[in-house]
């Protein structure tokens, strides 16, 4: 069996006195979908941001494809940006560039960072926009779009740099409930196409239907992991059970 | 007696206009451009992680803001010759005013850069941009919009501050008015005409500011 595409080992990270990651391992096979779930403050977003160096763990290693990083060795900015180049990211609050058109948002990585020819990048961006159902919005500006459309542009922008892995940080948490579906549908179809995805989410139905594995985090450790059909249905750990119970029945 | 000599008003309009377009306006344009470039440099220095670099920038801003512009002008024009540096009035005026604009505007630029949300930096980094590209393509275009109101204030102040260089014999609008008033002794008339010229220029700039703000915010508000 070939090595997994993404492998993070022993991630440890503190914010001041607060230890948010206490030795976390994440192993993601190519073409699979991994969902990170857990209560707020469990460290799941910090894990995700450690995979592309938006947070710098004190120790631990991250490998994506053929790029390796040992956080304990205090890597310099170039090493971190090499790792970051292996992934794309979709943010909770989309973080689109408000001064650029939708098309320019999507081509920003290929043109400004990767130095690819503009015409070629635009052609590819248009097909990515069609891919997320926004072919007719290329010339709009982010402010003119609904929250769900903005998030789909964010997905197209993340795919445009041709990353090995796409990281999603609670991509639907900031959306009105009726807009959640269109974003999840796009993500589901990406998974079906074979994109490797790591998704921090509270959408248990998405995890259930799309994920290949689910990691339940609490207190900075992976409490339990496994396929969603098992973990979400018959959790072994009391903390997992309690968390899922609260999601099902908030009252 | 008449406070305003209308014949003199008519005959001084031309010479004062010359003072405006050959002195005040070019001085404003050149020093604002140099000052803005300096302001950007100083703002980036202050935001630098290097404490020496940011300390130098901080000291510069503190000195510029803590001393009178007239004094700064005197130091460049009358003070530097003690060190063997003798400058003509025009270069002295440009240096002193640019340094002054640079100090004030750098705070506006720095504040505007800091006002661009952190998520914009992060998004730019995740699509592969480095610090310089992120600044140029993502942060500065947004900071520019935020900085327009306070930079407009700086520009409008500068138009009027250029009048100070009349004391180091640069021939601009106020100096022309002084020269003519010195011959005719019609101080109120000449200074009145000069005041109207300054006011009109500032009105035009204010109008331009409004237009620019509207244009730059077209993608921000729906």
């Amino acid at each position: 069996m070939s090595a997994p595409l993404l492998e993070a080992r022993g991630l440890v990270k503190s914010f001041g006195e607060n230890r948010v990651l206490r030795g976390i391992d994440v192993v993601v096979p190519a073409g699979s979908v991994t969902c990170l779930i857990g209560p707020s403050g469990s460290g799941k977003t910090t894990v995700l941001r450690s995979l592309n160096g938006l947070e710098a763990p004190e120790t631990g290693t991250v490998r994506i494809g053929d790029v390796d990083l040992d956080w304990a060795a205090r890597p310099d900015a170039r090493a971190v940006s090499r790792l970051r180049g292996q992934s794309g990211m979709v943010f909770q609050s989309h973080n689109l560039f408000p001064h650029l058109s939708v098309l320019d948002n999507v081509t920003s990585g290929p043109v400004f960072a990767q130095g690819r020819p503009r015409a070629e990048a635009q052609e590819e961006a248009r097909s990515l926009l069609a891919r997320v159902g926004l072919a007719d919005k290329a010339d709009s500006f982010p402010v003119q779009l609904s929250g769900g459309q903005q998030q789909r542009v964010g997905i197209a922008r993340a795919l445009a740099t041709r990353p090995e892995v796409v990281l999603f940080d609670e991509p639907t948490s900031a959306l009105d409930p009726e807009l959640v579906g269109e974003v999840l549908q796009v993500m589901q179809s990406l998974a079906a196409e074979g994109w490797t995805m790591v998704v921090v989410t509270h959408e248990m139905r998405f995890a259930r239907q799309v994920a290949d594995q689910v990691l339940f985090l609490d207190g900075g450790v992976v409490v339990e992991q496994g396929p969603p059909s098992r973990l979400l249905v018959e959790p072994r750990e009391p903390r997992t059970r309690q968390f899922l119970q609260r999601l099902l029945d908030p009252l | 007696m008449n406070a305003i000599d209308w014949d003199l008003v008519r005959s001084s309009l031309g010479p004062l206009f010359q003072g405006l377009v050959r002195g005040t306006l070019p001085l404003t344009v050149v020093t604002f451009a140099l000052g803005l470039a300096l302001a950007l440099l100083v703002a980036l220095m202050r935001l630098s992680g290097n404490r020496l670099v940011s300390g130098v920038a901080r000291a510069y801003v503190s000195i510029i803001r803590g001393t009178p512009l007239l004094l700064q002008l005197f130091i460049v024009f009358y003070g530097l010759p003690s060190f063997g540096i003798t400058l003509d009035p025009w270069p002295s005026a440009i240096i002193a005013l640019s340094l002054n604009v640079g100090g004030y505007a750098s705070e506006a630029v720095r504040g505007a850069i800091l006002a661009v949300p952190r998520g914009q930096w992060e998004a730019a980094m995740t699509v592969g941009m480095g610090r310089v590209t992120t600044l140029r393509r993502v942060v500065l275009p947004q900071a520019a919009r935020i900085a327009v109101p306070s930079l407009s204030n700086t520009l409008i102040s500068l138009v009027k501050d250029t009048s100070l260089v009349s004391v180091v014999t640069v021939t601009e609008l106020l100096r022309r008015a002084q020269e003519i008033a010195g011959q005719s002794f019609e101080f109120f008339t000449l200074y009145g005409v000069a005041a109207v010229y300054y006011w009109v220029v500032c009105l035009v700039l204010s109008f331009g500011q409004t237009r620019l703000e509207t244009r730059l915010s077209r993608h921000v508000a729906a």
Side-chain angles (χ1 to χ4, degrees):
Chain A
M1 193 187 139
S2 62
L5 179 63
L6 182 154
E7 207 173 348
R9 297 282 178 195
L11 297 177
V12 172
K13 167 84 182 166
S14 309
F15 291 119
E17 295 286 285
N18 185 16
R19 268 202 144 184
V20 285
L21 305 184
R22 301 163 177 265
I24 289 207
D25 294 350
V26 182
V27 178
V28 178
S32 72
V33 176
T34 299
C35 282
L36 306 181
I37 64 169
S40 64
S42 60
K44 53 195 191 307
T45 288
T46 309
V47 170
L48 195 77
R49 290 164 60 87
S50 298
L51 300 179
N52 66 0
L54 286 185
E55 301 290 352
E58 282 105 52
T59 59
T61 59
V62 177
R63 181 186 60 75
I64 302 178
D66 52 8
V67 177
D68 240 314
L69 200 72
D70 181 0
W71 285 107
R74 299 284 180 109
D76 59 13
R78 273 185 58 181
V80 175
S81 83
R82 243 165 56 83
L83 176 73
R84 191 175 291 137
Q86 296 289 89
S87 62
M89 189 165 203
V90 177
F91 296 85
Q92 181 176 349
S93 50
H94 70 72
N95 293 354
L96 293 179
F97 306 131
H99 60 300
L100 298 180
S101 71
V102 163
L103 189 67
D104 289 343
N105 263 277
V106 179
T107 61
S108 60
V111 174
F112 298 153
Q114 297 177 327
R116 273 156 57 188
R118 188 178 291 268
E120 175 201 306
Q122 286 185 339
E123 196 177 326
E124 201 173 308
R126 284 185 194 281
S127 75
L128 281 170
L129 286 171
R131 180 71 200 65
V132 299
L134 294 172
D136 56 331
K137 298 291 184 189
D139 299 322
S140 302
F141 281 80
V143 72
Q144 299 167 314
L145 306 181
S146 73
Q149 293 172 329
Q150 288 169 338
Q151 201 54 296
R152 287 186 279 151
V153 175
I155 293 173
R157 182 177 67 177
L159 299 180
T161 55
R162 302 172 178 168
E164 300 278 344
V165 183
V166 190
L167 311 174
F168 293 82
D169 184 10
E170 304 199 24
T172 57
S173 300
L175 296 178
D176 290 335
E178 76 273 19
L179 302 176
V180 168
E182 61 187 79
V183 174
L184 293 182
Q185 278 164 22
V186 167
M187 290 169 63
Q188 184 168 24
S189 69
L190 294 179
E193 274 176 27
W195 283 93
T196 309
M197 296 160 52
V198 182
V199 186
V200 171
T201 188
H202 293 292
E203 297 292 337
M204 291 306 133
R205 282 193 51 177
F206 175 82
R208 180 74 204 276
Q209 289 173 16
V210 181
D212 296 290
Q213 62 168 342
V214 176
L215 277 65
F216 172 69
L217 281 78
D218 193 15
V221 295
V222 178
V223 174
E224 186 172 1
Q225 63 182 304
S229 54
R230 208 271 301 149
L231 189 142
L232 298 179
V233 181
E234 299 169 327
R236 287 179 189 141
E237 298 292 327
R239 274 195 280 175
T240 318
R241 225 172 291 146
Q242 207 177 32
F243 172 73
L244 293 172
Q245 188 59 43
R246 237 179 275 144
L247 279 189
L248 280 175
D249 186 10
L251 296 178
Chain B
M1 106 178 218
N2 280 331
I4 299 178
D5 178 342
W6 289 102
D7 287 334
L8 187 59
V9 168
R10 260 187 296 278
S11 67
S12 66
L13 277 177
L16 291 195
F17 187 72
Q18 278 197 352
L20 179 69
V21 297
R22 291 197 187 157
T24 301
L25 292 183
L27 195 57
T28 302
V29 170
V30 170
T31 55
F32 192 64
L34 291 175
L36 270 191
L38 186 62
L40 179 59
L41 178 73
V42 172
L44 294 176
M45 283 172 68
R46 274 208 66 175
L47 294 169
S48 144
N50 185 318
R51 291 179 69 167
L52 179 69
V53 170
S54 66
V56 168
R58 190 189 299 264
Y60 164 71
V61 173
S62 173
I63 291 168
I64 291 296
R65 295 209 299 188
T67 57
L69 172 55
L70 188 57
L71 181 72
Q72 294 163 14
L73 190 62
F74 281 179
I75 286 177
V76 172
F77 189 68
Y78 297 115
L80 288 185
S82 322
F83 299 93
I85 306 169
T86 307
L87 296 169
D88 288 337
W90 265 88
S92 301
I94 288 171
I95 289 172
L97 284 172
S98 302
L99 287 173
N100 189 267
V101 169
Y104 277 94
S106 74
E107 286 295 281
V109 173
R110 185 177 72 100
I113 289 175
L114 288 175
V116 175
R118 200 177 153 60
Q120 293 288 306
W121 284 93
E122 291 186 346
M125 277 157 46
T126 61
V127 298
M129 294 186 215
R131 276 184 66 84
V132 175
T133 310
T134 301
L135 260 179
R136 179 163 155 233
R137 300 291 191 176
V138 175
V139 174
L140 290 182
Q142 297 180 60
R145 179 184 64 78
I146 299 167
V148 162
S150 65
L151 290 181
S152 301
N153 271 338
T154 306
L155 176 60
I156 287 169
S157 293
L158 176 62
V159 171
K160 294 167 291 172
D161 287 348
T162 58
S163 63
L164 287 172
V165 307
S166 61
V167 301
V168 296
T169 72
V170 171
T171 306
E172 41 65 73
L173 176 52
L174 178 59
R175 176 115 190 140
R176 290 297 286 152
Q178 283 175 320
E179 286 167 1
I180 300 170
Q183 294 156 11
S184 65
F185 297 100
E186 292 286 348
F187 294 103
F188 185 83
T189 303
L190 269 305
Y191 292 153
V193 174
V196 169
Y197 271 131
Y198 279 115
W199 187 41
V200 168
V201 170
C202 291
L203 275 181
V204 170
L205 289 177
S206 297
F207 178 70
Q209 173 188 355
T210 311
R211 294 270 309 246
L212 186 61
E213 280 176 21
T214 312
R215 214 176 78 87
L216 287 176
S217 57
R218 85 204 122 146
H219 303 313
V220 180

